Structure formats: C-alpha cells, structure tokens
Amino acid sequence: MNMQSSEQGSTANEQALAKKLSRTAALNWLAVLAILYTLYFAQTLLLTLIATFLLALLISPLVTLFKRAHVPRLVSALLLVTLLIAPFSFLGVQLAQPVQKWAQLLPQLSKSLNEQLESINSAIQGEETQGTTPPPKEKSRFTFFGWLDDETEEQQETEEENMVTERIKQGSLEVLVSMLAATPLLLAQVFTGLVLILFLLIFGPGLFQAYVNGLNEDSKREQAIHLATTIQVELSRYIGTISLINAALGASTAVVLKLLGVEDALLWGVLAALLNFIPYVGSVIGMAILSLAGVTQYGLEWMALMPPAVYFGLNLIESQFVTPTVLGRNMRLNPLVVVLWLVIWGWLWGAFGVLLAVPLLVCIKLAIGQLGIWPQWIAVIEKEG
C-alpha cells in the first residue's frame, strides 16, 4: 500500500509539473506574439526611436570630446547635428530629379523589356525558318466569313496598345501620389528624430547619471557604468566604421560609373552605400537594380553588364578585404543568423527595418555579452571559423 501511494504521489507530481511546463510554454509563446504584435503596429514610433538612438550613439563620443575641451553640450550638439544634416540635404537636392525620373520611368520598363525580348525571339525564329516557304497566315479570330478583315484586327491591336499606355500612365500617377502622400509623415519623423537626437545628446548623460546614483550598491553602479560605456564605445565604433566604409563604397561606385558615362551615377552611388548596410542581401539587390539601369540605358547589349560588373567588383573588394581588416573578427556575424534576422525585420518594418536590422543585432550581441547571460546565443550569433 505504501509503495502504491508513493507511486501515485510521484505520478501526480509529474502531471502537475507537466501542466506547469505547458502553461509556461504557452505564456512564453503569448509573450512572443505580443512582442511581435507591438513591434508591427508601433513601427512608426519605434523606427524613429531606434534610428534616433543609433545616431545619438554615433555622435555622443564627439560631444564628450568637445565637453572635455570646455565646449557646452548644447553648442556641440547643435553644431554636430547641423553637420549631419548638411550632406543629406545636399544629396536630397541633387537626387530629387533622378528619383522623380525613375519613379515615372519604372512602369514603362516592363513594356520596353518585353518588346525587346519579343524582337530577339522573332529574330531567332526568322533565322530558323529562313529559306523555307512561310505557311499561310491564319486568322486568330472568328471572322464571320471574312467580315472582320485585317483592318479590323489592326484597329483592335491599336485599342489594346492605347489601353496599355493608359495603364502605364495610371501606374506612374499612382506612384507619384503615393510618394507625395508619404512625404509629410516622413518629414514629421525626420524632424522628431532630430529633436530627440538633440535632447539625447544634451540631457542623456545627466539622466543616466541620475539612474546610477539611485542604485544602492557600489558594485551595481560600477557594473551599470561599465556596461553603458562599453556598449556605447563599441556600438558607436561599429556604426561609425560601417558608415565610413559604405560611404567610401558609394562614392567610389558613383565616381567610376560617372567616368564610364553611366547616367545618374550619383543616385546609384547613394543606393550602393545604403544597400551595403544590408549584408549579403543588399549586394544582390544592388546587382539587380544596376542591371536594370544598364538595360535601360544601353538596351540588351553587352554594355548593359558594365554597371553591375563595376558594383560587383567594388563590393567584392570591400566585403572580402576592407571590412574584415578594419572591424576584425569580433564583429563578424553568422551569415544564416543575419539572413533570418533580415527576413524577420523586413517583414515587420519593411525596408527601414532591413536597414536597422544588423545594428540592432550587434547591439543585442554586445549587451548580452557584457551582461554575461545566454552564452549559447553569443556562440550562435558569432560567425564560425
């Protein structure tokens, strides 16, 4: 009897433990879904906050350097933010016309490419049937004993071409309207981000110092200061280095394409710099876009391969030699983890989420590394070999 009661007690304990584990697993999945829901529906706010935080981290060491030279934080912050705005404003003015041109041109490219492919296909078929008597042309439509003649078919083809033209114009107008509708929101986000950067640079250190002073133990104060300083230094170093490398890649791409006579070389250089913030996937997108630009300018000729070939060569030098040498092995990331991370943030926040994905991953890696938690995740994130 005692053995039976003990077995029943152990079975009851196992069942209770299993129920507890199942409840914990369910709560964890609900927490994950709640986080994804919040990230997706609060993307407008969170995008601005995260981009502002990363830019403030990038500028903060310079503000601290000016502070040591007895320059007030307000003056140095205003000066550095102005210097940050100036090049982007210049690029915006220079790129306004090319971007507008391509926004109107994109709906027409599919039609022109289809026409060129059809002409090549017709030429190939003509060479195959050369020297043979062509079969009599059959009418593709029911003609009611010839009442619908060739002239009627030509009118129908003309009407179809007019319909295609109207659809292309309508597509261009929709692209223009969507861009104009998104402009006020984008300007509001940019203005809000600039104000937040100023406040973070001016009042952020004082707020953090007040938090540290509120801690009870000296060990916790030292740990908090060490953690914040290490993450700030390492992350600002990473963002600054990657930004300089990408800017150099974009500038070199624009210069080489300009010397080779490619139209809108500045636009492709800026695009190459932005896409290089997206490891692995960005280079593929850049190759596809520059291939489209080459086909648009040169047609289906060998010269159309020149823009993507130039970009591929410069990107290969940067990714295989420059970035590994400058950043070292500590900032290398597992390619599979990076691609999965890009897919997740691209699904959540679109193109801006893809641009911010890798800096966020580096920030998480630095934070959990300094806190000494989840060492298995550090091994997963880091690149092997």
Side-chain angles (χ1 to χ4, degrees), residues 132-144:
T132 61
T133 304
K137 182 179 179 181
E138 297 181 357
K139 293 184 179 180
S140 58
R141 302 177 183 271
F142 184 65
T143 59
F144 289 100

Side-chain angles (χ1 to χ4, degrees), residues 175-235:
V175 171
L176 184 60
V177 169
S178 61
M179 290 176 63
L180 292 176
T183 299
L185 178 60
L186 181 61
L187 291 177
Q189 288 179 320
V190 170
F191 177 76
T192 305
L194 292 175
V195 173
L196 286 175
I197 290 174
L198 286 175
F199 275 79
L200 282 172
L201 293 175
I202 298 170
F203 303 106
L207 185 63
F208 176 73
Q209 189 62 42
Y211 165 75
V212 171
N213 294 334
L215 297 176
N216 297 326
E217 301 178 5
D218 293 338
S219 59
K220 291 183 178 180
R221 294 193 189 98
E222 293 177 358
Q223 183 182 7
I225 294 174
H226 176 71
L227 175 63
T229 304
T230 303
I231 292 178
Q232 179 183 5
V233 171
E234 293 294 330
L235 193 58

Side-chain angles (χ1 to χ4, degrees), residues 48-353:
T48 305
L49 292 177
I50 292 175
T52 300
F53 175 74
L54 293 176
L55 288 174
L57 276 178
L58 179 62
I59 304 174
S60 182
L62 297 176
V63 177
T64 304
L65 186 62
F66 278 109
K67 181 65 177 178
R68 293 174 183 173
H70 305 288
V71 178
R73 300 188 71 91
L74 175 61
V75 176
S76 60
L78 287 172
L79 177 62
L80 291 171
V81 170
T82 304
L83 293 176
L84 181 67
I85 295 173
F88 289 103
S89 300
F90 174 77
L91 287 176
V93 172
Q94 295 296 320
L95 296 177
Q97 184 176 359
V99 169
Q100 184 179 4
K101 182 188 77 174
W102 278 92
Q104 297 176 353
L105 187 63
L106 281 176
Q108 303 176 7
L109 292 179
S110 59
K111 180 183 177 182
S112 62
L113 287 176
N114 288 332
E115 290 177 353
Q116 294 186 25
L117 291 174
E118 288 177 0
S119 63
I120 293 175
N121 189 22
S122 300
I124 294 174
Q125 291 179 355
E127 291 179 358
E128 292 178 352
T129 58
Q130 189 174 6
T132 61
T133 304
K137 182 179 179 181
E138 297 181 357
K139 293 184 179 180
S140 58
R141 302 177 183 271
F142 184 65
T143 59
F144 289 100
F145 302 100
W147 291 354
L148 289 178
D149 53 4
D150 294 339
E151 183 178 356
T152 306
E153 292 182 359
E154 291 178 357
Q155 292 178 356
Q156 292 176 350
E157 292 177 357
T158 304
E159 291 177 357
E160 291 178 356
E161 291 179 356
N162 292 333
M163 291 175 62
V164 171
T165 305
E166 291 296 328
R167 290 178 182 176
I168 291 173
K169 291 180 180 179
Q170 183 179 2
S172 303
L173 183 60
E174 290 177 355
V175 171
L176 184 60
V177 169
S178 61
M179 290 176 63
L180 292 176
T183 299
L185 178 60
L186 181 61
L187 291 177
Q189 288 179 320
V190 170
F191 177 76
T192 305
L194 292 175
V195 173
L196 286 175
I197 290 174
L198 286 175
F199 275 79
L200 282 172
L201 293 175
I202 298 170
F203 303 106
L207 185 63
F208 176 73
Q209 189 62 42
Y211 165 75
V212 171
N213 294 334
L215 297 176
N216 297 326
E217 301 178 5
D218 293 338
S219 59
K220 291 183 178 180
R221 294 193 189 98
E222 293 177 358
Q223 183 182 7
I225 294 174
H226 176 71
L227 175 63
T229 304
T230 303
I231 292 178
Q232 179 183 5
V233 171
E234 293 294 330
L235 193 58
S236 61
R237 172 179 170 268
Y238 171 80
I239 296 173
T241 305
I242 288 295
S243 300
L244 289 176
I245 292 174
N246 295 345
L249 175 66
S252 57
T253 303
V255 169
V256 174
L257 293 180
K258 183 67 175 179
L259 293 176
L260 294 175
V262 178
E263 297 177 355
D264 301 325
L266 181 61
L267 175 62
W268 309 132
V270 172
L271 193 64
L274 290 176
L275 289 175
N276 209 46
F277 282 98
I278 311 172
Y280 312 111
V281 181
S283 58
V284 177
I285 298 175
M287 290 279 293
I289 293 176
L290 285 173
S291 299
L292 182 62
V295 170
T296 303
Q297 181 172 349
Y298 299 105
L300 294 177
E301 303 290 341
W302 288 108
M303 286 295 293
L305 298 176
M306 180 184 62
V310 169
Y311 172 72
F312 176 76
L314 293 174
N315 187 269
L316 185 66
I317 295 172
E318 176 271 327
S319 61
Q320 298 299 320
F321 300 101
V322 177
T323 300
T325 303
V326 174
L327 286 181
R329 300 177 61 88
N330 293 330
M331 288 298 176
R332 294 187 182 183
L333 303 172
N334 193 312
L336 178 59
V337 174
V338 170
V339 172
L340 292 176
W341 192 254
L342 291 173
V343 170
I344 292 172
W345 287 100
W347 170 69
L348 285 173
W349 291 351
F352 290 104

